[in-house]
Amino acid sequence: MSKNTRVPGYMQSKAARNTRGIIGDREIRFKCSLQNTILDVLRGRPGWQEVPGPNIQQQNSQQNNKPAAGDGDWDFYWCDREWLHQNYDTMFLHEHQKILHFRNHYELTRKNLMVKNLKRLKKQTEREQGKSEGLSFDFHPTTYELPSEYHIFVEEFKRNPGITWIMKPAAKSQGKGIFLFRRLKDITDWKKGEYQPLTDTTREVPETYVVQRYIENPYLIGGRKFDIRIYVLVVSYNPLKVWLYRDGFARFSNTRFSLDSIEDAYVHLTNVSVQKNAPDYDPEKGCKWSTMRLRQYLTAKHGSEAVKKVFKGIDNIITKGLQSVQKIIINDKHCFEMYGYDILLDSDLKPWLIEINASPSLTASGKEDYELKFGLLNDLLNVLDLENRLTGKEKRIGGWDLLWDDGPVLADDGNMECTTNGTSVTTANSFLGCHNDRKRQLREIYTSAQAIKKT
């Protein structure tokens, strides 16, 4: 199907989105390695033109003995991680070019490295600011890396008999390879196959896992466990500049929660890729709530102050996570990153960091999901502002709110309130789950920016 006729089922009546206009002196040229919502957004964006042909690396690197990433054929590249790892160290980028992913993004998104970096920053904070400040890092479960910390884990396991643990491959996603256990012999097969010393030098290095204390008291709605997918955009690590998207969603398990059946993935894993295979899964209904609906539910049940504390805790998780790798990530002004944070609430309304994804799914599971991701990605391009239409001083662009800019960003009094059941919040510039009137707001900021630039 050609790029001009490829329109998702939800959008058949909106094919006109594919019409283009010219912005500035030429079109913005893009490449994209994915075939989902981001490609729809890029192809439908006014003034943007897709660069035809195979991947640049495939087309030119062998012929010219150099990668063509800096040859000027593109301005924006939504690449996959594998392509970046193969090409980043040898390519030259022109001043105007933007590319998805920082070179070593995995320092935050591999489960074992994420925990290691958080632990290091916590220790540094305790040394410099005292033990009390270290408590602000108490948002991820007790975690060990296997096989390297197996013996330390066994000691901890024996100190806490009867509790539930969860095993996860450090570098996999979508719930692959995850299982729960309560007895050491439940991981005997894994231990024998992966942990034994490498006496055979031809044998591959064992796959790295993390083992975490399972949160046995998750907050339940309708008897079901859920986690919250939150989108975070980092446009710079030095200085750290972070945007938080207002919309996200809660992902529910398809089966009511119980600790009696720890082997049932449909009870304990909220990944859509897992839940959609449940025998009684309803694709029309799905297993998602918008963050706005979740925020309204929690406010009605627990009050605005309790909910304000929850979302303040989520802000803390986001910023601490990024600060833990701020000095490690290879900062490059050409790079940006959109993370998918997964947060779980326990029965005391305490938020816990489960994992951070470098490539959150952009494939829509339904009409509402498509509209959320379409707006999310369009607004991401608005933040990057390759068209140079904004002033660079904005604190909100569509659904993205500037959360951190080399320090915490405060909300503007009076015009950036989150109102839920009559209660307004005007503190940190964080509006997760608040009303997202992105189209109206975009019209206003573009009109304002145009007026400022004329003067």
Side-chain angles (χ1 to χ4, degrees):
M1 187 176 291
S2 70
K3 67 181 179 181
N4 292 324
T5 59
R6 181 185 175 276
V7 181
Y10 327 116
M11 305 296 291
Q12 289 294 336
S13 63
K14 298 183 181 180
R17 285 181 186 268
N18 284 336
T19 59
R20 295 188 185 86
I22 304 296
I23 296 179
D25 59 347
R26 65 172 178 80
E27 290 186 329
I28 294 172
R29 300 158 299 198
F30 73 86
K31 289 186 71 70
C32 182
S33 62
L34 303 181
Q35 296 283 329
N36 53 33
T37 313
I38 181 58
L39 189 57
D40 291 342
V41 170
L42 290 168
R43 286 176 172 174
R45 191 167 176 86
W48 288 54
Q49 176 66 49
E50 186 172 6
V51 177
N55 282 342
I56 296 169
Q57 187 257 350
Q58 296 173 341
Q59 187 177 24
N60 291 315
S61 62
Q62 292 184 349
Q63 296 177 7
N64 302 329
N65 198 30
K66 64 178 181 178
D71 64 2
D73 283 347
W74 56 272
D75 307 298
F76 179 91
Y77 192 5
W78 194 283
C79 68
D80 57 42
R81 292 169 295 173
E82 291 72 20
W83 187 93
L84 189 82
H85 294 161
Q86 293 171 10
N87 294 278
Y88 179 91
D89 291 334
T90 57
M91 66 186 180
F92 170 79
L93 293 173
H94 291 290
E95 182 73 19
H96 62 280
Q97 291 180 305
K98 286 284 185 182
I99 190 167
L100 177 66
H101 300 308
F102 289 89
R103 173 64 181 87
N104 56 337
H105 61 83
Y106 49 80
E107 289 285 349
L108 186 62
T109 56
R110 282 182 63 106
K111 299 175 183 69
N112 57 327
L113 298 180
M114 179 192 79
V115 172
K116 181 189 74 174
N117 289 318
L118 282 168
K119 286 180 178 179
R120 185 183 61 249
L121 183 59
K122 178 181 179 180
K123 290 179 180 178
Q124 178 185 336
T125 302
E126 289 175 341
R127 285 196 308 268
E128 297 175 356
Q129 303 178 39
K131 291 283 187 180
S132 59
E133 288 299 319
L135 296 176
S136 64
F137 289 85
D138 184 24
F139 53 73
H140 61 88
T142 301
T143 304
Y144 298 94
E145 179 180 316
L146 301 184
S148 62
E149 297 179 330
Y150 181 80
H151 292 300
I152 303 174
F153 160 66
V154 169
E155 292 176 7
E156 179 71 14
F157 181 92
K158 292 178 178 178
R159 283 195 294 267
N160 296 275
I163 69 169
T164 306
W165 296 83
I166 184 168
M167 283 271 285
K168 305 176 182 179
K172 291 182 180 177
S173 59
Q174 300 181 332
K176 296 174 183 175
I178 296 178
F179 63 93
L180 279 64
F181 67 95
R182 294 196 182 105
R183 302 173 300 177
L184 276 179
K185 69 177 184 177
D186 291 337
I187 58 171
T188 299
D189 291 340
W190 174 88
K191 179 184 174 184
K192 287 180 178 179
E194 303 286 357
Y195 178 67
Q196 294 299 317
L198 294 177
T199 53
D200 181 0
T201 57
T202 63
R203 197 169 72 117
E204 292 185 3
V205 174
E207 182 176 6
T208 300
Y209 276 70
V210 295
V211 58
Q212 291 181 330
R213 185 164 180 166
Y214 186 65
I215 298 172
E216 296 179 316
N217 63 326
Y219 188 96
L220 305 178
I221 296 180
R224 290 170 170 81
K225 177 183 174 181
F226 67 92
D227 68 1
I228 313 168
R229 167 57 58 84
I230 298 168
Y231 295 102
V232 174
L233 171 64
V234 177
V235 295
S236 170
Y237 269 99
N238 185 24
L240 185 61
K241 190 168 185 178
V242 185
W243 297 79
L244 173 62
Y245 201 66
R246 295 188 170 203
D247 288 342
F249 47 85
R251 306 179 299 182
F252 286 82
S253 62
N254 200 59
T255 307
R256 294 175 68 88
F257 182 78
S258 170
L259 285 172
D260 295 336
S261 54
I262 63 172
E263 72 285 347
D264 191 342
Y266 302 132
V267 172
H268 301 284
L269 304 184
T270 59
N271 312 67
V272 175
S273 55
V274 172
Q275 294 297 328
K276 69 181 181 181
N277 296 315
D280 54 347
Y281 178 75
D282 183 352
E284 293 297 322
K285 182 179 178 182
C287 293
K288 291 183 179 179
W289 272 15
S290 69
T291 47
M292 177 181 287
R293 183 178 179 185
L294 177 64
R295 186 164 190 153
Q296 290 172 341
Y297 176 90
L298 294 174
T299 301
K301 190 151 184 155
H302 302 283
S304 60
E305 287 304 310
V307 172
K308 180 179 177 181
K309 183 179 179 181
V310 169
F311 283 83
K312 184 178 179 181
I314 292 175
D315 291 346
N316 175 64
I317 291 174
I318 292 169
T319 54
K320 289 290 195 298
L322 296 170
Q323 287 171 339
S324 74
V325 297
Q326 185 178 2
K327 296 181 179 180
I328 301 173
I329 295 291
I330 301 170
N331 191 61
D332 187 331
K333 65 182 180 180
H334 301 96
C335 302
F336 66 95
E337 197 83 49
M338 186 180 76
Y339 296 106
Y341 274 66
D342 291 341
I343 306 292
L344 182 140
L345 302 182
D346 68 17
S347 57
D348 298 319
L349 287 180
K350 176 180 176 177
W352 294 86
L353 174 61
I354 302 303
E355 63 182 71
I356 303 173
N357 300 274
S359 298
S361 173
L362 301 179
T363 301
S365 58
K367 182 175 184 296
E368 290 184 5
D369 196 40
Y370 182 86
E371 290 175 350
L372 183 157
K373 290 174 179 175
F374 195 96
L376 163 84
L377 295 166
N378 240 325
D379 288 347
L380 182 150
L381 299 179
N382 293 332
V383 172
L384 297 179
D385 192 28
L386 271 69
E387 301 93 341
N388 193 28
R389 298 167 62 195
L390 298 173
T391 66
K393 298 180 180 180
E394 290 80 7
K395 293 168 67 174
R396 180 187 174 192
I397 301 176
W400 290 100
D401 295 298
L402 184 59
L403 178 66
W404 193 273
D405 189 7
D406 203 21
V409 178
L410 299 181
D412 296 330
D413 291 337
N415 66 352
M416 291 186 68
E417 295 186 350
C418 174
T419 302
T420 307
N421 292 349
T423 302
S424 63
V425 179
T426 56
T427 52
N429 196 42
S430 170
F431 299 89
L432 180 64
C434 298
H435 181 55
N436 185 6
D437 53 340
R438 51 178 298 272
K439 293 183 179 179
R440 178 194 64 79
Q441 196 274 340
L442 287 170
R443 286 194 298 268
E444 291 179 357
I445 64 166
Y446 281 126
T447 300
S448 175
Q450 186 178 20
I452 291 173
K453 288 193 171 189
K454 283 183 177 180
T455 59

